[in-house]
Every structure is written in structure tokens, then in C-alpha cells.
């Protein structure tokens, strides 16, 4: 199941798609379908905030010399899913960071109760949002009673190859759990 906000991109072949228009809709769909999933991969986060009182019409520049917006916090869908995950279920989050990559990724791993964080430095030239390549570091939650695993720094590679590494890591985590969520 792919849950997506507004985009012109089609779903990959063979993948069920649920399109949503707001963070609240996304939260409802993700939480509804979470129990039947073995893994949840949060590849992109919704905005941290939304406009409290959106205008129904275009606000013209001449109407107001200044404009003040009030913002409300959006739900943290990944964190809520981490709290609700069943034994054996894997939660993966991404950490696009501009500084303190490993420290911030570790904080995200803990705060969202994720099993895997895919961390990338968004300031690195030739990597990230505007590129077909990426350099990521994978951080895993250690098994209960085990020593923390060392981060796995992957070299710069095509994003499809990065996706392959993530899928392999998810498969390893599911195999270690020895169960499926279903």
C-alpha cells in the first residue's frame, strides 16, 4: 500500500495507491492499514505545520500591507506508527539533515521508535533531492540486549540502488524478528 500526497507521479505497477490531500487524511489512512503491514517506510514526511485558517480565495497583495499566518502542528505520523507497531513489524524513517547527521538521525530513531533510519546530508553536492544519486547512512535499532550496531555508510549511488539496500535491510530486520505482522 502506497499512501501519497498530491503528485503527478503514478503508483508503481502492482502497488495499491491511496491518495490523500492533508496530513490528517494521511494519518487516518496509514493507521487504518498499519496492522496488516509487515513494514512501514516513511520516505517523506508531511510538513511539521499547516495554516490554521486557510483562505478560501486568493489573497491579493494590495488587500493587506502585511500578512500574518498562524500555524498549527501536524501529526507526527511516523512517531505514532512507531508507538503502535506490533511485534515483528518494522518501521523505517528518513532523516534529511543539514548538520549533525548521525546525532540527529539517532534522535529520530529513538523518538519515533523506528527500527531503521536512512540518514542523508542534504548539503552534500551531487546527492539528495535534486539528484538521481544519494549517499546515505543506515542506523538500526539494536535487538533487545544487543550492543548498538555501527552505522552503515553507503557510497554515493543511484537512488534505485539505495532503495535496494533499504529493502535488504528491512528484510534482514523482518527475518531477525522471525514473525510477520499479519
Amino acid at each position: 500500500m502506497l499512501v501519497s500526497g498530491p503528485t503527478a507521479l503514478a503508483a508503481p505497477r502492482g502497488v495499491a495507491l491511496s491518495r490523500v490531500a492533508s496530513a490528517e487524511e494521511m494519518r487516518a489512512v496509514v493507521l487504518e492499514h498499519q496492522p496488516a503491514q509487515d513494514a512501514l517506510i516513511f520516505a517523506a514526511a508531511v510538513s511539521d505545520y499547516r495554516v490554521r485558517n486557510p483562505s478560501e480565495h486568493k489573497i491579493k497583495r494590495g488587500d493587506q500591507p502585511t500578512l500574518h499566518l498562524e500555524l498549527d502542528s501536524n501529526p507526527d505520523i511516523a512517531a505514532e506508527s512507531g508507538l503502535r507497531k506490533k511485534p515483528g513489524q518494522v518501521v523505517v524513517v528518513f532523516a534529511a539533515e543539514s548538520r549533525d547527521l548521525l546525532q540527529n538521525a539517532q534522535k529520530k530513531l529513538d523518538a519515533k521508535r523506528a527500527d531503521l533510519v536512512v540518514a542523508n546530508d542534504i548539503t552534500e553536492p551531487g546527492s539528495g533531492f535534486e539528484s538521481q544519486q544519494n549517499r546515505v547512512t543506515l542506523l538500526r535499532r539494536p535487538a533487545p540486549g544487543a550492543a548498538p550496531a555501527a552505522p552503515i555508510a553507503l557510497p554515493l549511488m543511484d537512488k534505485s540502488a539505495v532503495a535496494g539496500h533499504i529493502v535488504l535491510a528491512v528484510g534482514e530486520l523482518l527475518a531477525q524478528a522471525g514473525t510477520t505482522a499479519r
Side-chain angles (χ1 to χ4, degrees):
M1 162 70 60
L2 172 63
V3 182
S4 175
T7 181
L9 299 174
R13 200 158 119 210
V15 174
L17 172 66
S18 181
R19 292 198 185 272
V20 297
S22 70
E24 291 89 356
E25 285 180 48
M26 183 172 283
R27 176 188 173 274
V29 171
V30 167
L31 296 179
E32 175 189 347
H33 291 280
Q34 179 172 351
Q37 308 308 310
D38 292 328
L40 292 94
I41 300 175
F42 294 93
V46 297
S47 176
D48 290 339
Y49 295 93
R50 66 183 178 279
V51 175
R52 176 172 287 168
N53 297 309
S55 175
E56 292 182 24
H57 306 285
K58 178 180 177 183
I59 300 171
K60 298 198 175 268
R61 186 176 307 139
D63 292 348
Q64 301 176 22
T66 61
L67 183 63
H68 299 278
L69 297 176
E70 288 187 69
L71 303 176
D72 288 326
S73 182
N74 270 325
D76 188 334
I77 303 165
E80 191 168 353
S81 291
L83 286 171
R84 293 176 177 226
K85 73 179 173 180
K86 295 171 17 174
Q89 197 170 47
V90 173
V91 172
V92 179
V93 297
F94 282 59
E97 302 292 342
S98 59
R99 62 186 165 137
D100 303 324
L101 179 70
L102 295 180
Q103 296 89 335
N104 287 330
Q106 183 64 50
K107 286 178 187 174
K108 188 171 271 194
L109 183 75
D110 297 335
K112 298 188 186 297
R113 296 190 181 177
D115 301 288
L116 179 70
V117 172
V118 181
N120 68 304
D121 181 346
I122 59 173
T123 65
E124 183 175 336
S127 176
F129 297 123
E130 300 296 323
S131 173
Q132 290 302 311
Q133 295 187 312
N134 210 347
R135 180 187 321 271
V136 302
T137 301
L138 305 179
L139 286 82
R140 293 183 189 201
R141 173 171 305 290
I152 300 168
L154 300 177
L156 185 66
M157 64 179 72
D158 187 81
K159 287 183 178 177
S160 62
V162 171
H165 282 275
I166 295 166
V167 169
L168 286 173
V170 169
E172 290 171 5
L173 290 166
L174 288 169
Q176 287 171 3
T179 61
T180 60
R182 285 181 242 162

